[in-house]
Amino acid sequence: METVNQLLDSIKDVGRDGVRGGYSRSVYSTPELDLREWFKEQAAQRGLDIETDRNGIMWAWWGEPQDGALVTGSHLDSVPGGGAFDGPLGVASALAAVDILKNRGLQPRRSLAVTVFPEEEGSRFGVACLGSRLLTGAIDVDKALNLRDADGGTFADVARSNGLDPRHVGADPEALARIGDFVELHVEQGKGLGQDGPAIAVGSSILGHGRWKLSVSGQGNHAGTTLMADRADPMVAAAHIVLAVRDTAAKQPDARATVGRLTPVPGGTNVIASRVDLWLDARHPDDAVTARLIEAIYVAAQEAAASEGCTATLTEESYSGTVHFDSGLSRRIGGLLPGAPVLATGAGHDAGVLAGYVPSAMLFVRNPSGISHSPEEYVADEDASSGAVALADVLEGLL
């Protein structure tokens, strides 16, 4: 029986990023594919039956696949330069929980599956939780197939090269019906649990959040021959927009807005850009407030662009409204974990997408600093072990 720490230690060298630090494991990259093989091997060692569905979701079954099964798991892909725990902790904890339950001599009364969802972070194709969105039909199939990565490859092409048939990608009612209850364990991505007290919390809700692309167009030109007064520089406008995003969100209580990626075109050091693309992440508990926040940011972006002789356009890439997890399932889990606090999160998860279709819940494991999506993300060994035991207790109580 392997502990969570031993399982994570076995993949500690997969996808290390020598430039950013941490790990870069985008979906269907070599590191993520290596982790998929690792998961298959680990599941097989536990006597679980492995299958990959038409959307690239992996299922490891304890018992015959059947409708209404109890399902747990998370993801293995990461943000660029991410931490060691976001995603893999949930997968490793699910495997360790199976070990714990087998060691207890449990004979499940219904089937149990451990799942791995692809492209949870959206770091390759720009849409978070793409696997669970495809499974549930929460994203238009044509839109999904035509998503492009940084190299210009479409999701359809990448899916095909990794054994999926693009003609069959999309809503899968039969696979969805197999999920009777879904419980996802995840590293906590804030300071909600703190450094003292319980190491495990029960999730209550996920903040509404989305991603938008702002494109600022100007006049590409020579950096040495174009006088400062003669420029229509979208990079200058983009700098003002980044500040406007911060300032606009700061005026709205509980709002968060971030420009995490910016790409100048063509991107030469001695070239005034012709266009700059910025990607915006915005979040708020009230979906109507989020809409007003985006509207205000867009107005500010247009003003900033016009002041530099440029134009700005805004495109929504994805949006998920505020999610409240199934109250009945959460109460049952709370009863199985007496003393565990209830915690809301500002981070998106596959459990949040599934919550609109099947009873879903989450467990969070303490991250003392609250730092996540960073190499500094951390879970103490004893907290990781406590998380696996808590997940095993929950699964046993629900089986």
Side-chain angles (χ1 to χ4, degrees):
M1 186 172 79
E2 291 183 276
T3 66
V4 175
N5 310 312
Q6 290 170 326
L7 287 164
L8 292 177
D9 189 64
S10 69
I11 59 172
K12 66 180 181 181
D13 294 324
V14 180
R16 283 194 180 274
D17 193 319
V19 176
R20 302 180 181 93
Y23 297 89
S24 292
R25 300 160 164 169
S26 60
V27 71
Y28 296 128
S29 65
T30 298
E32 197 260 1
L33 290 172
D34 288 346
L35 291 182
R36 283 173 161 260
E37 289 304 313
W38 166 83
F39 175 72
K40 291 177 183 177
E41 292 168 3
Q42 291 294 330
Q45 288 176 20
R46 289 160 175 80
L48 307 182
D49 295 324
I50 312 297
E51 64 173 304
T52 301
D53 70 18
R54 66 195 196 198
N55 291 307
I57 302 166
M58 290 192 294
W59 305 71
W61 287 94
W62 183 0
E64 290 294 322
Q66 58 183 226
D67 288 357
L70 178 59
V71 181
T72 187
S74 193
H75 62 99
L76 293 170
D77 65 303
S78 76
V79 297
F85 300 92
D86 184 355
L89 178 69
V91 177
S93 297
L95 293 170
V98 169
D99 287 341
I100 292 168
L101 294 177
K102 289 196 170 189
N103 194 51
R104 292 176 182 175
L106 179 73
Q107 297 296 323
R109 289 175 293 178
R110 60 169 167 160
S111 292
L112 171 70
V114 178
T115 54
V116 173
F117 288 92
E119 186 67 331
E120 194 269 357
E121 297 290 3
S123 59
R124 182 164 185 176
F125 293 102
V127 175
C129 302
L130 182 58
S132 54
R133 290 179 190 272
L134 286 168
L135 168 68
T136 58
I139 185 172
D140 179 77
V141 176
D142 288 337
K143 175 183 177 179
L145 292 174
N146 286 289
L147 293 170
R148 292 184 180 273
D149 62 16
D151 295 324
T154 66
F155 176 66
D157 291 338
V158 173
R160 186 182 295 108
S161 66
N162 284 279
L164 302 183
D165 187 338
R167 296 173 300 176
H168 299 150
V169 164
D172 191 344
E174 291 182 359
L176 187 60
R178 294 175 174 180
I179 306 176
D181 297 292
F182 181 73
V183 181
E184 180 175 5
L185 179 144
H186 205 278
V187 59
E188 205 234 324
Q189 295 175 284
K191 297 181 179 179
L193 281 167
Q195 299 195 28
D196 300 313
I200 313 300
V202 180
S204 62
S205 61
I206 294 178
L207 205 62
H209 58 284
R211 298 181 184 188
W212 292 260
K213 180 181 179 182
L214 275 162
S215 290
V216 187
S217 297
Q219 178 59 62
N221 216 328
H222 194 293
T225 61
T226 309
L227 299 177
M228 301 304 288
D230 294 338
R231 301 184 177 202
D233 189 343
M235 184 65 84
V236 176
H240 289 297
I241 290 170
V242 171
L243 294 174
V245 167
R246 179 197 64 182
D247 295 342
T248 304
K251 295 174 184 176
Q252 178 62 57
D254 296 325
R256 302 106 193 254
T258 307
V259 175
R261 182 158 61 107
L262 182 152
T263 302
V265 179
T269 302
N270 59 347
V271 179
I272 299 168
S274 59
R275 189 182 81 245
V276 176
D277 295 328
L278 306 89
W279 281 266
L280 168 69
D281 179 297
R283 308 176 187 230
H284 191 275
D286 187 326
D287 297 337
V289 174
T290 304
R292 292 196 296 271
L293 176 66
I294 295 302
E295 182 179 359
I297 287 173
Y298 187 33
V299 169
Q302 290 175 308
E303 292 174 351
S307 70
E308 299 297 330
C310 302
T311 60
T313 59
L314 178 72
T315 305
E316 181 182 301
E317 293 196 333
S318 66
Y319 185 74
S320 297
T322 293
V323 170
H324 297 277
F325 290 116
D326 186 86
S327 58
L329 180 58
S330 295
R331 278 196 303 271
R332 291 179 67 191
I333 291 174
L336 295 166
L337 301 177
V342 176
L343 193 65
T345 181
H349 301 281
D350 289 304
V353 175
L354 293 174
Y357 304 86
V358 297
S360 300
M362 290 196 72
L363 302 179
F364 296 113
V365 180
R366 176 168 38 219
N367 176 4
S369 68
I371 296 173
S372 188
H373 281 185
S374 163
E376 298 170 70
E377 180 180 85
Y378 178 70
V379 175
D381 289 352
E382 58 269 26
D383 289 347
S385 296
S386 296
V389 171
L391 180 59
D393 291 343
V394 167
L395 296 177
E396 182 173 6
L398 296 176
L399 281 170

